[in-house]
């Protein structure tokens, strides 16, 4: 059975990855929140990120382009070992993002994290968010291949 929970009802690794890691840039927390063999699926990357270090690098890269990035937790749903968390990301485009020069524009996109949890740590994550909305707000679309 799927159980909805309010965003503040419990702080879990699924919440901390958004609130503390993405929103503050404290990638050292990843070592406590993720399994050694964590796999992260990201819509803008051609291959999943396998392990902790590649995710740390990705977060640092994104935050270079949007240093004030904040991901606000919305709703949380738990079903067995699956945790789904909705979020809204806000930021200012102050640096290069995927080859797009800084625009200074404020951006806001919605997303959903789907996590598989093992022994209290995140083992696999799919981050599904509005990439086209991001590009529209920046006034640039990447070349489609």
């Amino acid at each position: 059975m799927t159980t909805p929970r309010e965003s503040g009802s419990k702080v879990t690794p699924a919440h901390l990855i958004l609130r503390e890691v993405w929103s503050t840039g404290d990638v050292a927390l990843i070592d406590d929140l993720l399994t050694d063999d964590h796999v992260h699926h990201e819509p803008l990357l051609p291959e999943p990120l396998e392990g902790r270090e590649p995710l740390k690098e990705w977060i640092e890269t994104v935050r270079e382009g949007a240093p004030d990035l904040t991901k606000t937790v919305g709703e949380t749903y738990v079903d067995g070992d699956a945790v789904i968390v909705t979020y809204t990301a806000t930021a200012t485009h102050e640096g290069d993002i995927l080859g797009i020069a800084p625009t200074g524009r404020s951006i806001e996109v919605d997303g959903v994290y789907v996590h598989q949890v093992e022994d209290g740590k995140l083992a696999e994550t799919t981050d599904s968010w509005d990439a086209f909305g991001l590009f529209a707000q920046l006034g640039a679309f990447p070349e489609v291949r």
Side-chain angles (χ1 to χ4, degrees):
M1 167 140 198
T2 302
T3 306
R5 299 195 179 167
E6 294 194 26
S7 61
S9 65
K10 185 175 179 187
V11 178
T12 67
H15 295 125
L16 291 172
I17 194 79
L18 291 165
R19 291 181 182 158
E20 299 298 328
V21 178
W22 278 101
S23 295
T24 70
D26 187 358
V27 295
L29 288 174
I30 285 175
D31 294 335
D32 296 329
L33 303 175
L34 277 56
T35 61
D36 292 337
D37 59 349
H38 179 267
V39 177
H40 181 88
H41 303 273
E42 169 71 40
L44 295 181
L45 299 176
E47 300 292 327
L49 302 174
E50 297 182 8
R52 296 173 178 156
E53 295 306 313
L55 181 58
K56 289 178 185 180
E57 292 171 11
W58 173 241
I59 291 169
E60 289 171 341
T61 297
V62 171
R63 288 189 57 82
E64 285 175 13
D68 64 345
L69 174 66
T70 301
K71 291 190 176 186
T72 303
V73 172
E75 295 189 35
T76 301
Y77 299 89
V78 179
D79 188 6
D81 291 334
V83 179
I84 300 169
V85 181
T86 65
Y87 68 87
T88 299
T90 58
T92 307
H93 183 210
E94 297 180 10
D96 182 89
I97 294 179
L98 301 168
I100 302 169
T103 62
R105 293 181 182 181
S106 294
I107 53 176
E108 179 176 307
V109 295
D110 292 320
V112 177
Y113 253 171
V114 179
H115 300 286
Q116 185 65 37
V117 180
E118 293 177 5
D119 298 323
K121 292 190 175 190
L122 305 178
E124 186 167 6
T125 300
T126 299
D127 187 4
S128 181
W129 55 276
D130 184 10
F132 283 111
L134 169 69
F135 294 126
Q137 291 173 60
L138 295 178
F141 282 89
E143 179 180 329
V144 178
R145 298 180 220 191

